[in-house]
Amino acid sequence: MSLLSTSGAALVKLMGEMPRGPRREGVFALWLTVRVAEDLLLVPPQPDRAVKRRVVALERRLSSLTLSAPLRRALVAALAALGNPGREQVGQVLQLLVAPARETLGGDASEILGRAARSAGQRAREEL
């Protein structure tokens, strides 16, 4: 069994295809965010305290990356939403990142995030 979700694996592949620089760091930031967001869908759920620690660690890691302004703003909003863990929000949080990803990183990244958002939304609804 793979440790990465389909979306996570696709982002890693896309990251490997990009040259070093802000675009690659943007895809890396999305990959980190998708991993934290998808962990909110684990069964049994992680304790709120553990989720909040992971979000703080993610925020710290993202602060050192060179990101475009639209993507940075979207990630700040996503982090704020992930700070209040809720399974039903995961799809919406990932959906917030689709447009900035398209604008700054291209169609491939936005398509991957769109699939991740739909999958997360569906998983959250199935388990309610």
Side-chain angles (χ1 to χ4, degrees):
M1 183 171 110
S2 174
L3 296 176
L4 290 176
S5 67
T6 305
S7 301
L11 285 170
V12 168
K13 182 177 184 247
L14 182 61
M15 197 178 349
E17 296 169 355
M18 293 203 160
R20 290 189 182 268
R23 288 179 51 128
R24 179 188 258 182
E25 289 189 8
V27 174
F28 179 62
L30 292 177
W31 175 69
L32 290 172
T33 305
V34 166
R35 287 187 59 203
V36 170
E38 287 178 340
D39 283 351
L40 291 175
L41 299 172
L42 292 175
V43 175
Q46 295 180 335
D48 286 352
R49 186 173 176 188
V51 171
K52 289 180 188 218
R53 271 188 283 177
R54 287 211 50 207
V55 171
V56 168
L58 174 62
E59 184 175 13
R60 210 173 308 128
R61 182 62 181 105
L62 294 179
S63 70
S64 68
L65 298 176
T66 303
L67 303 171
S68 66
L71 186 56
R72 184 168 298 282
R73 283 190 300 270
L75 287 167
V76 166
L79 286 170
L82 291 174
N84 299 316
R87 299 175 60 81
E88 61 282 346
Q89 295 177 333
V90 175
Q92 295 168 352
V93 169
L94 294 177
Q95 190 63 43
L96 287 173
L97 300 171
V98 172
R102 180 178 298 116
E103 180 182 331
T104 61
L105 303 172
D108 291 341
S110 68
E111 286 178 29
I112 293 167
L113 280 173
R115 284 194 306 267
R118 286 188 297 277
S119 174
Q122 183 179 7
R123 284 177 55 193
R125 283 189 300 276
E126 287 174 357
E127 303 208 9
L128 283 179

